[in-house]
Amino acid sequence: MSGRKNAGKVSPWLLGLISLGCFFVTYNLLTMHGRGRDGPRKFLGGGEDHDSTGSGSDPAKRFHVALTATDALYSQWQSRIMHYWYKEMRDRPGSDMGGFTRILHSGKPDGLMDEIPTMVVDPLPEGKDKGYIVLNRPWAFVQWIQRAKIVEDYILMAEPDHVFVKPLPNLAHGDEPAAFPFFYIKPTDNEKILRKFFPEEKGPVSNIDPIGNSPVIIKKAQLEKIAPTWMNVSLKMKEDQETDKAFGWVLEMYAYAVASALHGVRHSLRKDFMIQPPWDLKTDNTFIIHYTYGCDYSMKGQLTYGKIGEWRFDKRSYLQSPPPRNLSLPPPGVPESVVTLVKMVNEATANIPGWEDER
């Protein structure tokens, strides 16, 4: 594959495109600082929250929680709930949670700058993501790692639709990061396509872990090397029509898995890292609820997935406005995982000031 030798570096052609806009973006960010309706904006240039160092017994194991997000209202309300539960869990026994940063890849501050520790980074050049906004995620991590002062040795890559069910310890083991295995990431089933990006001299395709970048707990030094490769592989996959068609909305996940394998990094696969209702039924043995799937049920508690239920909770129902406070609880018979999710959403929205205010 062309460019393999430079896989770990940011592509010169991309830097050239971005450099044209960086001066104007930087100037705008600096001049906008302090002009928001809520007074001076905090965390514009850094965003690291180090007010709490976690309660883990070994400071060397603490990890920084890094959340990539946009300024869309849909992303904002999820980020607020996620940050609320981070604050609730970070100081409890068993937690190795350190600081927190929302990496905002919309290129400009938004109305949450005072509420959530945030670093503003640039999006890809206009049109480069081809409508696949997740493609901005690896570029956002490249910028954040280069610019941020991260005191922790480890990083948790997280997403807005994550809720911490209990305190999260560092699941990584030294140079072996921890990741959640996704059943739909199947490297060996896609060997023909993946060989375009993972050459045979790198070993069998089974060296590619069945993961995405999130949730992953990884050493900062490892992510510094992987992130530029992840970005370059993502862009090349998106430009390849066969790959784009085959991987669709999980393309960037495959790109992270390939980038890690190119650097010889294997992950410890932790099924207990998170659950995904409605398919996972209990929260007993997990740390994170990922509410990416809709939860639709009849009033008898029967799952009606694919059909709007008499009772439902689906994040996509709230594209234009946040979910209201005090959502109705599921009917009897609905799995505990769904009940817990709705209760945790309700607790967060009840305690976040100005929940339904326009941001």
Side-chain angles (χ1 to χ4, degrees):
M1 181 186 74
S2 175
R4 285 176 193 153
K5 293 182 179 179
N6 294 318
K9 300 179 181 179
V10 179
S11 298
W13 62 265
L14 179 60
L15 288 177
L17 284 172
I18 293 171
S19 63
L20 293 175
C22 281
F23 170 78
F24 299 103
V25 172
T26 302
Y27 174 79
N28 288 335
L29 290 180
L30 291 173
T31 56
M32 288 173 70
H33 185 61
R35 293 191 301 169
R37 63 173 185 168
D38 299 320
R41 295 298 190 188
K42 295 180 289 186
F43 311 116
L44 187 58
E48 301 82 21
D49 180 1
H50 298 303
D51 292 340
S52 172
T53 55
S55 60
S57 58
D58 184 358
K61 293 187 65 178
R62 289 179 189 139
F63 55 85
H64 195 98
V65 179
L67 169 68
T68 51
T70 73
D71 61 0
L73 188 148
Y74 177 65
S75 179
Q76 287 182 328
W77 69 255
Q78 293 174 49
S79 297
R80 299 179 81 188
I81 292 174
M82 191 271 193
H83 183 241
Y84 172 87
W85 283 108
Y86 154 78
K87 292 190 296 181
E88 287 294 305
M89 298 295 176
R90 67 183 174 186
D91 294 326
R92 296 187 186 183
S95 168
D96 286 319
M97 293 170 159
F100 186 104
T101 302
R102 181 182 62 137
I103 309 171
L104 183 62
H105 53 77
S106 300
K108 61 184 186 299
D110 67 359
L112 297 180
M113 302 298 292
D114 291 330
E115 180 178 328
I116 304 177
T118 298
M119 173 180 276
V120 179
V121 297
D122 300 328
L124 290 167
E126 186 175 357
K128 196 64 189 173
D129 63 16
K130 299 182 180 179
Y132 179 52
I133 197 167
V134 182
L135 212 59
N136 287 280
R137 183 177 293 155
W139 173 225
F141 270 107
V142 169
Q143 295 174 82
W144 177 63
I145 290 173
Q146 289 177 346
R147 289 167 46 187
K149 185 178 180 181
I150 307 163
V151 299
E152 297 88 355
D153 290 333
Y154 290 85
I155 292 168
L156 165 66
M157 292 186 281
E159 296 180 20
D161 58 355
H162 287 176
V163 170
F164 294 107
V165 180
K166 59 185 179 183
L168 179 60
N170 188 339
L171 303 177
H173 299 284
D175 289 333
E176 184 179 66
F180 177 80
F182 290 90
F183 71 90
Y184 49 78
I185 302 296
K186 301 178 179 179
T188 54
D189 290 356
N190 293 280
E191 180 167 3
K192 179 177 177 292
I193 292 175
L194 290 174
R195 280 303 183 195
K196 297 180 180 182
F197 313 96
F198 189 74
E200 291 187 5
E201 57 264 30
K202 286 292 184 178
V205 170
S206 58
N207 285 350
I208 301 173
D209 292 324
I211 61 172
N213 83 289
S214 176
V216 166
I217 299 177
I218 187 171
K219 271 191 172 179
K220 176 175 59 180
Q222 290 175 306
L223 188 57
E224 287 174 344
K225 296 176 181 178
I226 292 172
T229 308
W230 173 27
M231 183 189 72
N232 291 334
V233 172
S234 295
L235 292 170
K236 290 174 181 177
M237 283 185 170
K238 189 64 179 175
E239 290 169 354
D240 185 271
Q241 292 184 1
E242 181 186 21
T243 306
D244 189 22
K245 182 179 180 180
F247 292 162
W249 63 276
V250 298
L251 179 148
E252 167 267 341
M253 297 173 68
Y254 269 103
Y256 174 79
V258 169
S260 299
L262 287 171
H263 287 277
V265 175
R266 300 300 303 270
H267 297 68
S268 172
L269 304 181
R270 297 289 301 253
K271 290 185 177 181
D272 62 338
F273 210 150
M274 74 179 188
I275 60 169
Q276 302 183 98
W279 313 116
D280 298 306
L281 306 182
K282 294 183 177 294
T283 60
D284 295 349
N285 189 35
T286 195
F287 299 98
I288 294 172
I289 293 178
H290 181 210
Y291 55 99
T292 189
Y293 297 104
C295 300
D296 288 273
Y297 292 88
S298 71
M299 295 310 292
K300 294 181 179 179
Q302 296 172 330
L303 180 65
T304 62
Y305 191 78
K307 177 183 177 181
I308 294 178
E310 296 174 282
W311 181 93
R312 75 179 329 224
F313 177 76
D314 188 338
K315 66 179 183 178
R316 296 163 192 82
S317 299
Y318 307 104
L319 295 172
Q320 306 300 327
S321 61
R325 286 174 164 150
N326 197 28
L327 292 168
S328 64
L329 294 179
V334 171
E336 180 268 337
S337 61
V338 179
V339 177
T340 297
L341 169 61
V342 176
K343 286 182 177 180
M344 295 186 78
V345 168
N346 281 346
E347 180 175 335
T349 60
N351 289 284
I352 296 175
W355 171 249
E356 295 177 333
D357 296 347
E358 183 179 349
R359 313 303 291 184

